[in-house]
């Protein structure tokens, strides 16, 4: 759960084989309140909160590279680290004083906060069906120690209960809170979709590339297992597999699932996974999640030392293969010469040359603002400007004493106030993470660190134009954060006292816009399954490529990791790509 709402599912990578390539037109010849900080005049403070010069920090090595990556979010780091693994000279440029983008961690008064993702699974898996980020880390030779658990607390209009993942436990909750009809429909759903999971997981995300070489690295390599999965399903299952690329609501309707609790619960799961309800998420993504959460022996994972440990592992992998990362290196413009992207200009005027490619990990709207207007084809500009945006976030970061808080607190809590309004309505669903439950080093001894947020549901319009120092802004923060405070009080119980919190930070859409450099503080493109598709990774400008949540496969940690891997794979030869797949055993 996160900016990126969830980091669990995998998008249907095999769909790349069924879509016309927006092929790489030019190949390589061609949160919260205290995210990485920036002062009002644009200067960037260091980690101790003191202003740093606006001039770019001198980065390691010469001001050029084979590939320059703009932004060190998870997508940018995955792309850069894999390119370094492919023996490319890579320079990742990050505007802030710490890497990680929306997934970075920050520290205040010895409390270590996650700024974004907090719900994970699949890090310990290996092989073709592993989480895309796990595959990237495997390729880099990096491990990520995790604590495991199997449940989260749910607070919904029907009541509150501990929801466990696994094949049988949820039936007990259904019997208690919904009745026998819901149990029957849930069993009917599992019987119908679990056989489809082999097809949904048939292609490893690390095998995908953005050119016709994918027919070798993915198509030919994994065709036997894909065909086998269809054969094992039989005629009915194979026919059902055609639904993988449609909205999950189509499967719900075809099975005639009518129980309100079941339909609301499926909307909630889709929302946790991708920030949309069941009518907006691809069936393949939901089916993969079901195969991960409702199989014997399944578990959820939280990285020891926090989500910042993921970023640290990717940075280690980048540097292990001689890739470079330059912090406080703000890109002001992408330089285009003779119609091709040849590098970037930094704040302060320094030019950094990209000999093969520039890869931007910024959103599609923010990338557009980096380009000279005269080089942007009108249809490309119009398509980006017409792409709807998800709403933004409200965040609440707290550090408090654990005394009086129940010992069986648990790491995750989900509060839905009103089903009728929809889980995606503003001020309705609050997600709470208390990671110090599993990783005590994130807080001082005897303390807890907490992150509550409303993901992708806070409208930017009511905040737009406000002066962050004004009383109007402060009053709106207090008003719009109250629903999070009440959710936290409900989850933590009577032993919690908001007035005694040692750290209290409220983040707004303006916080998101300012510190994450996200257009209008958005969560990402609001592209619904069946109504549109996420763009590919090439652009109309040769040698300029995009990764991250504005590109295929979409929003969420696994998706952005996959997007970075796809771009990296596409910038090297098919033989290099195949050698990497052989090396990691997929």
């Amino acid at each position: 759960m996160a900016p990126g709402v969830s980091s669990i599912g995998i998008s249907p990578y095999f769909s790349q084989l069924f879509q016309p390539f927006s092929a790489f037109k030019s190949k390589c010849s061609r949160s919260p309140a205290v995210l990485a900080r920036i002062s009002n005049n644009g200067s960037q403070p260091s980690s101790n909160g003191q202003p740093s010069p606006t001039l770019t920090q001198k980065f390691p090595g010469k001001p050029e590279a084979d590939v320059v990556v703009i932004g060190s979010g998870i997508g940018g780091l995955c792309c850069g680290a894999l390119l370094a693994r492919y023996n490319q000279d890579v320079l990742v440029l990050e505007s802030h004083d710490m890497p990680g983008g929306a997934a970075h961690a920050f520290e205040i008064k010895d409390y270590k906060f996650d700024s974004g993702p907090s719900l994970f699974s699949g890090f310990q898996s290996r092989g073709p069906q592993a989480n895309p980020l796990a595959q990237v880390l495997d390729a880099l030779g990096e491990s990520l120690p995790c604590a495991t658990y199997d449940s989260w607390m749910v607070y919904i209009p029907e009541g509150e209960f501990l929801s466990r993942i696994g094949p049988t436990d949820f039936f007990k909750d259904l019997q208690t809170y919904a009745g026998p009809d819901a149990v029957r429909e849930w069993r009917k759903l599992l019987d119908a979709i679990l056989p489809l999971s082999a097809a949904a997981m048939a292609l490893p995300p690390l095998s995908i590339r953005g050119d016709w070489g994918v027919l070798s690295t993915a198509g030919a390599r994994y065709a036997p297992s894909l065909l086998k999965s269809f054969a094992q399903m039989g005629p009915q299952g194979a026919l059902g597999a055609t639904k993988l690329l449609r909205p999950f609501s189509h499967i719900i309707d075809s099975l005639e699932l009518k129980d309100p609790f079941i339909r609301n619960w499926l909307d909630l799961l889709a929302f946790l996974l991708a920030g949309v309800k069941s009518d907006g998420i691809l069936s393949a993504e939901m089916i993969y999640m079901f195969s991960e959460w409702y199989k014997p022996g399944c578990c959820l994972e939280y990285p020891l030392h926090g989500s910042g440990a993921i970023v640290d592992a990717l940075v280690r992998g980048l540097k292990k293969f001689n890739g470079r990362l330059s912090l406080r290196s703000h890109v002001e413009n992408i330089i285009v010469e003779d119609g091709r992207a040849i590098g970037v200009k930094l704040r302060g005027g320094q030019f950094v040359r990209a000999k093969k490619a520039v890869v931007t990990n910024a959103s599609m709207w923010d990338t557009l603002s980096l380009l000279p207007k005269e080089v942007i084809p009108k249809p490309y500009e119009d398509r980006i400007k017409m792409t709807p945006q998800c709403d933004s976030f409200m965040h609440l970061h707290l550090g408090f004493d654990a005394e009086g808080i129940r010992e069986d607190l648990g790491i995750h809590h989900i509060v839905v106030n009103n089903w009728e309004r929809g889980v995606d309505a503003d001020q309705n669903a609050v997600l709470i993470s208390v990671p110090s439950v599993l990783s005590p080093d994130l807080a001082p001894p005897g303390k807890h660190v907490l992150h509550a947020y409303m993901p992708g549901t806070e409208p930017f319009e009511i905040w737009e134009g406000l002066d962050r120092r004004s009383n109007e802004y402060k009053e709106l923060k207090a008003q719009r954060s109250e629903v999070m405070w009440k959710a936290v009080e409900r989850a933590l119980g009577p032993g919690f006292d908001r007035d005694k919190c040692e750290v209290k930070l409220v983040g707004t859409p303006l916080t998101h816009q300012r510190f994450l450099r996200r257009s209008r503080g958005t969560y990402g493109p609001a592209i619904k399954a069946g109504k549109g598709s996420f763009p590919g990774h090439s652009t109309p400008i040769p040698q300029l490529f995009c990764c991250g949540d504005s590109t295929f496969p979409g929003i969420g940690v696994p998706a952005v990791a996959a997007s970075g891997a796809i771009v990296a794979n596409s910038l090297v030869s098919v033989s290099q790509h195949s050698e990497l797949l052989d090396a990691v055993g997929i």
Side-chain angles (χ1 to χ4, degrees):
M1 300 182 284
V5 167
S6 149
S7 48
I8 49 179
I10 296 186
S11 289
Y13 301 102
F14 69 89
S15 69
Q16 188 87 348
L17 294 176
F18 301 107
Q19 297 172 345
F21 289 109
S22 94
F24 273 23
K25 298 183 176 72
S26 55
K27 298 196 67 163
C28 265
S29 59
R30 63 158 199 153
S31 189
V34 192
L35 304 180
R37 316 156 199 250
I38 306 177
S39 69
N40 292 333
N41 63 7
S43 64
Q44 296 136 3
S46 61
S47 297
N48 62 11
Q50 298 303 310
S52 298
T54 56
L55 292 177
T56 301
Q57 172 178 302
K58 181 172 172 41
F59 47 74
K62 54 191 176 182
E64 68 174 24
D66 292 334
V67 181
V68 171
V69 179
I70 303 171
S72 67
I74 285 180
L77 286 176
C78 285
C79 180
L82 280 179
L83 283 168
R85 170 75 168 74
Y86 283 128
N87 295 317
Q88 301 294 301
D89 180 19
V90 181
L91 175 60
V92 180
L93 299 173
E94 171 55 51
S95 179
H96 297 309
D97 61 359
M98 60 186 75
H104 82 272
F106 63 96
E107 183 173 341
I108 295 177
K109 296 183 179 179
D110 295 327
Y111 290 95
K112 302 175 182 68
F113 292 96
D114 291 340
S115 68
S118 61
L119 179 60
F120 304 94
S121 70
F123 281 143
Q124 306 307 309
S125 57
R126 291 294 180 268
Q129 297 178 351
N131 182 307
L133 183 53
Q135 291 184 345
V136 171
L137 291 172
D138 199 22
L140 299 175
E142 291 294 330
S143 61
L144 192 66
C146 293
T148 60
Y149 62 106
D150 65 356
S151 60
W152 65 86
M153 277 298 297
V154 178
Y155 308 83
I156 55 179
E158 290 86 348
E160 54 188 64
F161 60 93
L162 185 69
S163 176
R164 296 187 183 276
I165 63 173
T168 59
D169 285 290
F170 188 56
F171 285 110
K172 301 173 186 175
D173 299 327
L174 286 175
Q175 184 67 46
T176 301
Y177 294 99
D181 286 344
V183 172
R184 178 185 57 79
E185 289 194 359
W186 187 255
R187 195 178 304 279
K188 183 179 182 181
L189 176 67
L190 294 182
D191 290 344
I193 66 175
L194 289 182
L196 301 177
S197 62
M201 302 166 73
L203 289 184
L206 203 60
S207 71
I208 304 297
R209 52 190 293 124
D211 58 19
W212 292 109
V214 72
L215 296 177
S216 172
T217 61
R221 193 179 185 101
Y222 301 103
S225 60
L226 182 61
L227 293 173
K228 182 180 178 181
S229 68
F230 283 129
Q232 289 175 339
M233 287 188 289
Q236 185 174 357
L239 182 63
T242 63
K243 299 177 181 178
L244 291 173
L245 302 182
R246 301 176 189 172
F248 190 64
S249 57
H250 287 200
I251 290 181
I252 298 173
D253 292 339
S254 69
L255 294 172
E256 298 182 341
L257 306 184
K258 301 183 184 303
D259 184 86
F261 187 98
I262 292 293
R263 295 187 75 98
N264 286 329
W265 187 258
L266 292 174
D267 276 344
L268 177 61
L269 292 180
F271 182 69
L272 295 177
L273 186 61
V276 293
K277 295 193 292 187
S278 57
D279 62 352
I281 190 170
L282 282 170
S283 294
E285 193 167 0
M286 282 290 281
I287 289 169
Y288 181 86
M289 182 273 294
F290 267 85
S291 70
E292 282 289 291
W293 281 17
Y294 296 103
K295 65 183 180 184
C298 57
C299 67
L300 298 169
E301 298 163 330
Y302 182 78
L304 295 178
H305 318 305
S307 64
I310 301 170
V311 177
D312 292 342
L314 289 171
V315 171
R316 287 196 306 270
L318 171 74
K319 293 181 176 180
K320 178 191 301 183
F321 295 100
N322 301 313
R324 293 176 286 156
L325 169 65
S326 181
L327 303 176
R328 284 178 282 167
S329 296
H330 178 71
V331 173
E332 285 198 331
N333 300 107
I334 297 169
I335 304 301
V336 179
E337 188 176 277
D338 296 328
R340 311 172 82 80
I342 63 164
V344 300
K345 186 184 80 171
L346 304 180
R347 174 178 291 154
Q350 184 172 16
F351 172 65
V352 181
R353 179 174 297 279
K355 294 184 284 187
K356 292 184 177 180
V358 174
V359 178
T360 169
N361 187 207
S363 76
M364 61 170 68
W365 305 281
D366 296 295
T367 294
L368 200 64
S369 68
L370 297 176
L371 288 165
K373 189 166 181 61
E374 62 272 14
V375 307
I376 305 172
K378 188 68 164 52
Y380 182 70
E381 180 180 19
D382 290 344
R383 180 178 62 79
I384 290 176
K385 289 182 175 180
M386 290 170 56
T387 300
Q389 294 182 346
C390 290
D391 285 332
S392 191
F393 280 70
M394 289 292 295
H395 292 271
L396 182 64
H397 286 90
L398 303 176
F400 56 94
D401 199 306
E403 186 177 357
I405 306 299
R406 68 177 191 265
E407 293 184 3
D408 63 343
L409 177 61
I411 179 174
H412 285 121
H413 306 257
I414 300 168
V415 179
V416 179
N417 293 312
N418 187 329
W419 286 128
E420 292 181 2
R421 293 190 64 221
V423 294
D424 56 350
D426 70 305
Q427 300 276 294
N428 193 26
V430 179
L431 312 180
I432 300 168
S433 172
V434 193
S436 49
V437 167
L438 295 179
S439 188
D441 63 307
L442 296 176
K447 312 285 185 178
H448 275 313
V449 61
L450 180 148
H451 178 202
Y453 51 97
M454 293 181 285
T457 61
E458 182 68 7
F460 186 79
E461 290 75 16
I462 64 175
W463 299 89
E464 192 167 13
L466 290 181
D467 183 342
R468 291 178 295 102
R469 294 162 294 190
S470 68
N471 288 332
E472 183 183 4
Y473 178 69
K474 294 173 184 176
E475 289 169 3
L476 189 60
K477 279 178 71 172
Q479 174 192 332
R480 299 294 288 184
S481 63
E482 184 61 24
V483 66
M484 294 188 293
W485 279 109
K486 289 181 177 177
V488 169
E489 289 169 342
R490 183 176 179 184
L492 269 57
F496 173 77
D497 184 345
R498 69 169 77 178
D499 294 328
K500 293 182 179 180
C501 290
E502 297 176 12
V503 177
K504 291 188 279 191
L505 301 169
V506 176
T508 73
L510 296 186
T511 312
H512 248 239
Q513 181 186 46
R514 180 180 179 220
F515 291 114
L516 296 184
R517 302 197 187 283
R518 299 283 295 186
S519 171
R520 299 175 63 81
T522 184
Y523 174 29
I527 299 174
K528 284 191 171 184
K531 302 288 180 65
S533 59
F534 280 84
H537 306 90
S538 63
T539 73
I541 299 168
Q543 295 182 190
L544 176 63
F545 305 98
C546 303
C547 66
D549 58 18
S550 286
T551 66
F552 176 86
I555 294 172
V557 170
V560 298
S563 76
I566 291 169
V567 174
N569 295 338
S570 305
L571 292 173
V572 299
S573 68
V574 170
S575 61
Q576 285 177 287
H577 187 182
S578 297
E579 287 170 6
L580 179 66
L581 295 176
D582 291 337
V584 296
I586 59 175

